[in-house]
């Protein structure tokens, strides 16, 4: 992992963070620019875009859409000065459902027929969790958040189908309800956890072997909490054998200019 520092690495403004990634810094974005929303990416050929959009609308918890580009465009209203071909720290290129490249700059792979979807990211609700005094073990241990493919199938849409992916955070038992309540107020970035406790109920055999990201160490009294994850579209790319796609690398997001408070509902 490139540990190039972006100013104050833990608290740059969003534009500075994006400029740093454009210049070649590569590391997971959890904890970077706290207070601003982050997004996942999936860009697909226009002739697949309707089915991907339908897939996201039928599966809003793992795939909450925050913006969709016009074909060939590489900008987003979420960060007007961003270039989405360069401003994620790390990208993945997929051909016929197979991962063919992991790159820091997607410009050479970008096509005029690509439609880009920005999917809400759970890193957005981490700032409110930390502000409430809830520890995040992956941040404490300087690791990427662990993510797992579950046995819960998404609702299919035409040619697009696949399993739900979850991110997992160990949370002290006495803070589970607080973590659930905070995240439930943010459905645009996955909302409340979809499961708490035994990972086997999601078909996860070993928390020590995540499908994406890094394993984290539990502290005494921690309980695993699982949130729907924006890597779900990548699982769908694999399962559906999409002929071509560009995505972010898991844990390496676009930091937007949108405050996380914009996606926080006022609930009684």
């Amino acid at each position: 992992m490139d540990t190039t520092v972006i100013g104050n690495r833990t608290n740059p403004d969003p534009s500075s963070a994006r400029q740093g990634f454009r210049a070649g810094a590569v590391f997971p974005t959890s904890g970077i620019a706290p207070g601003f929303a982050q997004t996942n990416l999936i860009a697909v050929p226009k002739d697949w875009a309707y089915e991907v959009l339908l897939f996201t609308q039928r599966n809003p918890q793992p795939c909450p859409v925050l913006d969709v580009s016009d074909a060939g465009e590489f900008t987003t209203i979420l960060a007007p000065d961003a270039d989405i071909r360069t401003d994620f720290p790390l990208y993945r290129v997929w051909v016929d459902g197979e991962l063919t490249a992991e790159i820091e700059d997607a410009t050479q792979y970008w096509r005029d027929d690509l439609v880009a979807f920005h999917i809400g990211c759970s890193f957005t609700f981490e700032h409110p969790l930390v502000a409430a005094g809830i520890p995040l073990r992956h941040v404490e241990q300087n690791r990427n958040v662990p993510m797992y493919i579950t046995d819960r199938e998404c609702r299919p849409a035409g040619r697009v189908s696949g399993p739900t992916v979850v991110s997992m955070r160990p949370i002290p038992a006495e803070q589970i309800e607080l973590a659930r309540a905070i995240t439930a107020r943010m459905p645009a970035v996955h909302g409340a956890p979809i499961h708490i406790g035994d990972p086997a109920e999601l078909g996860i055999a070993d928390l020590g072997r995540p499908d994406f990201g890094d394993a984290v160490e539990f502290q005494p009294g921690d309980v695993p909490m699982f949130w729907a994850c924006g890597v779900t579209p990548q699982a769908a790319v694999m399962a559906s054998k999409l002929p071509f796609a560009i995505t972010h690398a898991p844990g390496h997001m676009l930091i937007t200019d949108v405050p996380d408070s914009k996606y926080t509902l006022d609930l009684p």
Side-chain angles (χ1 to χ4, degrees), residues 158-179:
R159 295 170 289 177
V160 182
S161 62
T164 299
V165 176
V166 293
S167 61
M168 187 280 296
R169 293 165 180 81
I171 302 295
E174 67 274 12
Q175 294 180 305
I176 286 176
E177 179 52 34
L178 178 59

PDB file of all heavy atoms in Angstrom, residues 158-179:
ATOM      1  N   GLY A 158     -33.182  -8.429 -15.368  1.00  0.00           N
ATOM      2  CA  GLY A 158     -32.735  -8.836 -16.694  1.00  0.00           C
ATOM      3  C   GLY A 158     -31.526  -9.741 -16.613  1.00  0.00           C
ATOM      4  O   GLY A 158     -31.543 -10.772 -15.942  1.00  0.00           O
ATOM      5  N   ARG A 159     -30.442  -9.317 -17.263  1.00  0.00           N
ATOM      6  CA  ARG A 159     -29.221 -10.120 -17.301  1.00  0.00           C
ATOM      7  C   ARG A 159     -28.364  -9.961 -16.050  1.00  0.00           C
ATOM      8  O   ARG A 159     -27.335 -10.644 -15.921  1.00  0.00           O
ATOM      9  CB  ARG A 159     -28.386  -9.725 -18.525  1.00  0.00           C
ATOM     10  CG  ARG A 159     -29.019 -10.034 -19.858  1.00  0.00           C
ATOM     11  CD  ARG A 159     -28.243  -9.396 -21.005  1.00  0.00           C
ATOM     12  NE  ARG A 159     -28.411  -7.940 -21.026  1.00  0.00           N
ATOM     13  CZ  ARG A 159     -27.796  -7.111 -21.877  1.00  0.00           C
ATOM     14  NH1 ARG A 159     -26.963  -7.619 -22.782  1.00  0.00           N
ATOM     15  NH2 ARG A 159     -28.017  -5.812 -21.846  1.00  0.00           N
ATOM     16  N   VAL A 160     -28.751  -9.072 -15.139  1.00  0.00           N
ATOM     17  CA  VAL A 160     -27.911  -8.740 -13.986  1.00  0.00           C
ATOM     18  C   VAL A 160     -28.444  -9.414 -12.722  1.00  0.00           C
ATOM     19  O   VAL A 160     -29.610  -9.249 -12.354  1.00  0.00           O
ATOM     20  CB  VAL A 160     -27.832  -7.219 -13.773  1.00  0.00           C
ATOM     21  CG1 VAL A 160     -26.918  -6.889 -12.588  1.00  0.00           C
ATOM     22  CG2 VAL A 160     -27.329  -6.525 -15.042  1.00  0.00           C
ATOM     23  N   SER A 161     -27.577 -10.159 -12.064  1.00  0.00           N
ATOM     24  CA  SER A 161     -27.939 -10.827 -10.816  1.00  0.00           C
ATOM     25  C   SER A 161     -26.669 -11.048 -10.005  1.00  0.00           C
ATOM     26  O   SER A 161     -25.556 -10.877 -10.503  1.00  0.00           O
ATOM     27  CB  SER A 161     -28.619 -12.171 -11.100  1.00  0.00           C
ATOM     28  OG  SER A 161     -27.721 -13.044 -11.789  1.00  0.00           O
ATOM     29  N   GLY A 162     -26.842 -11.434  -8.750  1.00  0.00           N
ATOM     30  CA  GLY A 162     -25.679 -11.724  -7.917  1.00  0.00           C
ATOM     31  C   GLY A 162     -25.997 -11.652  -6.446  1.00  0.00           C
ATOM     32  O   GLY A 162     -27.107 -11.257  -6.048  1.00  0.00           O
ATOM     33  N   PRO A 163     -25.041 -12.027  -5.595  1.00  0.00           N
ATOM     34  CA  PRO A 163     -25.258 -12.051  -4.146  1.00  0.00           C
ATOM     35  C   PRO A 163     -25.010 -10.693  -3.504  1.00  0.00           C
ATOM     36  O   PRO A 163     -24.309  -9.834  -4.048  1.00  0.00           O
ATOM     37  CB  PRO A 163     -24.218 -13.067  -3.672  1.00  0.00           C
ATOM     38  CG  PRO A 163     -23.083 -12.869  -4.639  1.00  0.00           C
ATOM     39  CD  PRO A 163     -23.733 -12.582  -5.972  1.00  0.00           C
ATOM     40  N   THR A 164     -25.583 -10.508  -2.330  1.00  0.00           N
ATOM     41  CA  THR A 164     -25.318  -9.314  -1.529  1.00  0.00           C
ATOM     42  C   THR A 164     -23.941  -9.423  -0.883  1.00  0.00           C
ATOM     43  O   THR A 164     -23.566 -10.476  -0.355  1.00  0.00           O
ATOM     44  CB  THR A 164     -26.378  -9.156  -0.433  1.00  0.00           C
ATOM     45  OG1 THR A 164     -27.660  -9.020  -1.042  1.00  0.00           O
ATOM     46  CG2 THR A 164     -26.107  -7.939   0.441  1.00  0.00           C
ATOM     47  N   VAL A 165     -23.200  -8.345  -0.936  1.00  0.00           N
ATOM     48  CA  VAL A 165     -21.933  -8.230  -0.225  1.00  0.00           C
ATOM     49  C   VAL A 165     -22.171  -7.360   1.013  1.00  0.00           C
ATOM     50  O   VAL A 165     -22.973  -6.420   0.978  1.00  0.00           O
ATOM     51  CB  VAL A 165     -20.847  -7.607  -1.115  1.00  0.00           C
ATOM     52  CG1 VAL A 165     -19.537  -7.398  -0.349  1.00  0.00           C
ATOM     53  CG2 VAL A 165     -20.603  -8.482  -2.347  1.00  0.00           C
ATOM     54  N   VAL A 166     -21.494  -7.684   2.108  1.00  0.00           N
ATOM     55  CA  VAL A 166     -21.620  -6.907   3.343  1.00  0.00           C
ATOM     56  C   VAL A 166     -20.247  -6.449   3.814  1.00  0.00           C
ATOM     57  O   VAL A 166     -19.229  -7.101   3.563  1.00  0.00           O
ATOM     58  CB  VAL A 166     -22.290  -7.715   4.477  1.00  0.00           C
ATOM     59  CG1 VAL A 166     -23.742  -7.995   4.144  1.00  0.00           C
ATOM     60  CG2 VAL A 166     -21.532  -9.004   4.771  1.00  0.00           C
ATOM     61  N   SER A 167     -20.240  -5.294   4.498  1.00  0.00           N
ATOM     62  CA  SER A 167     -19.062  -4.886   5.252  1.00  0.00           C
ATOM     63  C   SER A 167     -19.315  -5.216   6.722  1.00  0.00           C
ATOM     64  O   SER A 167     -20.459  -5.223   7.175  1.00  0.00           O
ATOM     65  CB  SER A 167     -18.778  -3.389   5.084  1.00  0.00           C
ATOM     66  OG  SER A 167     -19.862  -2.603   5.555  1.00  0.00           O
ATOM     67  N   MET A 168     -18.253  -5.522   7.449  1.00  0.00           N
ATOM     68  CA  MET A 168     -18.401  -5.931   8.842  1.00  0.00           C
ATOM     69  C   MET A 168     -17.551  -5.033   9.740  1.00  0.00           C
ATOM     70  O   MET A 168     -16.393  -4.748   9.443  1.00  0.00           O
ATOM     71  CB  MET A 168     -17.972  -7.390   9.014  1.00  0.00           C
ATOM     72  CG  MET A 168     -18.246  -7.993  10.397  1.00  0.00           C
ATOM     73  SD  MET A 168     -17.024  -7.548  11.691  1.00  0.00           S
ATOM     74  CE  MET A 168     -15.532  -8.314  11.050  1.00  0.00           C
ATOM     75  N   ARG A 169     -18.164  -4.618  10.835  1.00  0.00           N
ATOM     76  CA  ARG A 169     -17.444  -3.836  11.844  1.00  0.00           C
ATOM     77  C   ARG A 169     -17.712  -4.449  13.214  1.00  0.00           C
ATOM     78  O   ARG A 169     -18.878  -4.611  13.594  1.00  0.00           O
ATOM     79  CB  ARG A 169     -17.901  -2.370  11.824  1.00  0.00           C
ATOM     80  CG  ARG A 169     -17.512  -1.642  10.534  1.00  0.00           C
ATOM     81  CD  ARG A 169     -18.285  -0.337  10.382  1.00  0.00           C
ATOM     82  NE  ARG A 169     -17.911   0.353   9.151  1.00  0.00           N
ATOM     83  CZ  ARG A 169     -18.389   0.060   7.940  1.00  0.00           C
ATOM     84  NH1 ARG A 169     -19.282  -0.920   7.817  1.00  0.00           N
ATOM     85  NH2 ARG A 169     -18.001   0.740   6.879  1.00  0.00           N
ATOM     86  N   PRO A 170     -16.674  -4.805  13.969  1.00  0.00           N
ATOM     87  CA  PRO A 170     -16.888  -5.262  15.344  1.00  0.00           C
ATOM     88  C   PRO A 170     -17.256  -4.058  16.222  1.00  0.00           C
ATOM     89  O   PRO A 170     -16.526  -3.065  16.262  1.00  0.00           O
ATOM     90  CB  PRO A 170     -15.528  -5.835  15.756  1.00  0.00           C
ATOM     91  CG  PRO A 170     -14.736  -5.961  14.476  1.00  0.00           C
ATOM     92  CD  PRO A 170     -15.253  -4.887  13.576  1.00  0.00           C
ATOM     93  N   ILE A 171     -18.363  -4.150  16.907  1.00  0.00           N
ATOM     94  CA  ILE A 171     -18.861  -3.056  17.736  1.00  0.00           C
ATOM     95  C   ILE A 171     -19.034  -3.563  19.167  1.00  0.00           C
ATOM     96  O   ILE A 171     -19.579  -4.660  19.377  1.00  0.00           O
ATOM     97  CB  ILE A 171     -20.210  -2.534  17.196  1.00  0.00           C
ATOM     98  CG1 ILE A 171     -20.081  -2.070  15.742  1.00  0.00           C
ATOM     99  CG2 ILE A 171     -20.743  -1.408  18.087  1.00  0.00           C
ATOM    100  CD1 ILE A 171     -19.180  -0.890  15.514  1.00  0.00           C
ATOM    101  N   PRO A 172     -18.579  -2.797  20.170  1.00  0.00           N
ATOM    102  CA  PRO A 172     -18.816  -3.227  21.553  1.00  0.00           C
ATOM    103  C   PRO A 172     -20.298  -3.488  21.808  1.00  0.00           C
ATOM    104  O   PRO A 172     -21.163  -2.728  21.351  1.00  0.00           O
ATOM    105  CB  PRO A 172     -18.298  -2.033  22.369  1.00  0.00           C
ATOM    106  CG  PRO A 172     -17.253  -1.401  21.490  1.00  0.00           C
ATOM    107  CD  PRO A 172     -17.796  -1.547  20.096  1.00  0.00           C
ATOM    108  N   ALA A 173     -20.576  -4.556  22.541  1.00  0.00           N
ATOM    109  CA  ALA A 173     -21.962  -4.998  22.725  1.00  0.00           C
ATOM    110  C   ALA A 173     -22.856  -3.889  23.267  1.00  0.00           C
ATOM    111  O   ALA A 173     -24.010  -3.749  22.836  1.00  0.00           O
ATOM    112  CB  ALA A 173     -21.999  -6.207  23.654  1.00  0.00           C
ATOM    113  N   GLU A 174     -22.320  -3.082  24.170  1.00  0.00           N
ATOM    114  CA  GLU A 174     -23.147  -2.042  24.787  1.00  0.00           C
ATOM    115  C   GLU A 174     -23.436  -0.877  23.838  1.00  0.00           C
ATOM    116  O   GLU A 174     -24.270  -0.012  24.139  1.00  0.00           O
ATOM    117  CB  GLU A 174     -22.469  -1.517  26.056  1.00  0.00           C
ATOM    118  CG  GLU A 174     -21.170  -0.760  25.848  1.00  0.00           C
ATOM    119  CD  GLU A 174     -19.944  -1.664  25.776  1.00  0.00           C
ATOM    120  OE1 GLU A 174     -20.126  -2.897  25.662  1.00  0.00           O
ATOM    121  OE2 GLU A 174     -18.822  -1.121  25.848  1.00  0.00           O
ATOM    122  N   GLN A 175     -22.782  -0.846  22.666  1.00  0.00           N
ATOM    123  CA  GLN A 175     -22.998   0.242  21.712  1.00  0.00           C
ATOM    124  C   GLN A 175     -23.715  -0.216  20.434  1.00  0.00           C
ATOM    125  O   GLN A 175     -23.882   0.566  19.505  1.00  0.00           O
ATOM    126  CB  GLN A 175     -21.654   0.885  21.340  1.00  0.00           C
ATOM    127  CG  GLN A 175     -20.979   1.612  22.509  1.00  0.00           C
ATOM    128  CD  GLN A 175     -19.662   2.243  22.105  1.00  0.00           C
ATOM    129  OE1 GLN A 175     -18.776   1.563  21.595  1.00  0.00           O
ATOM    130  NE2 GLN A 175     -19.543   3.545  22.330  1.00  0.00           N
ATOM    131  N   ILE A 176     -24.168  -1.464  20.420  1.00  0.00           N
ATOM    132  CA  ILE A 176     -24.827  -1.995  19.225  1.00  0.00           C
ATOM    133  C   ILE A 176     -26.070  -1.182  18.869  1.00  0.00           C
ATOM    134  O   ILE A 176     -26.268  -0.801  17.711  1.00  0.00           O
ATOM    135  CB  ILE A 176     -25.190  -3.478  19.429  1.00  0.00           C
ATOM    136  CG1 ILE A 176     -23.935  -4.352  19.354  1.00  0.00           C
ATOM    137  CG2 ILE A 176     -26.213  -3.935  18.391  1.00  0.00           C
ATOM    138  CD1 ILE A 176     -24.195  -5.801  19.648  1.00  0.00           C
ATOM    139  N   GLU A 177     -26.916  -0.918  19.833  1.00  0.00           N
ATOM    140  CA  GLU A 177     -28.156  -0.203  19.531  1.00  0.00           C
ATOM    141  C   GLU A 177     -27.861   1.217  19.071  1.00  0.00           C
ATOM    142  O   GLU A 177     -28.530   1.734  18.169  1.00  0.00           O
ATOM    143  CB  GLU A 177     -29.079  -0.183  20.754  1.00  0.00           C
ATOM    144  CG  GLU A 177     -30.389   0.554  20.538  1.00  0.00           C
ATOM    145  CD  GLU A 177     -31.162   0.104  19.303  1.00  0.00           C
ATOM    146  OE1 GLU A 177     -31.109  -1.091  18.959  1.00  0.00           O
ATOM    147  OE2 GLU A 177     -31.837   0.961  18.687  1.00  0.00           O
ATOM    148  N   LEU A 178     -26.860   1.861  19.641  1.00  0.00           N
ATOM    149  CA  LEU A 178     -26.487   3.208  19.205  1.00  0.00           C
ATOM    150  C   LEU A 178     -25.987   3.179  17.768  1.00  0.00           C
ATOM    151  O   LEU A 178     -26.379   4.025  16.950  1.00  0.00           O
ATOM    152  CB  LEU A 178     -25.414   3.779  20.130  1.00  0.00           C
ATOM    153  CG  LEU A 178     -24.881   5.180  19.783  1.00  0.00           C
ATOM    154  CD1 LEU A 178     -26.016   6.204  19.778  1.00  0.00           C
ATOM    155  CD2 LEU A 178     -23.780   5.579  20.764  1.00  0.00           C
ATOM    156  N   ALA A 179     -25.133   2.210  17.429  1.00  0.00           N
ATOM    157  CA  ALA A 179     -24.631   2.094  16.058  1.00  0.00           C
ATOM    158  C   ALA A 179     -25.771   1.825  15.088  1.00  0.00           C
ATOM    159  O   ALA A 179     -25.813   2.388  13.988  1.00  0.00           O
ATOM    160  CB  ALA A 179     -23.578   0.991  15.976  1.00  0.00           C
TER     161      ALA A 179
END
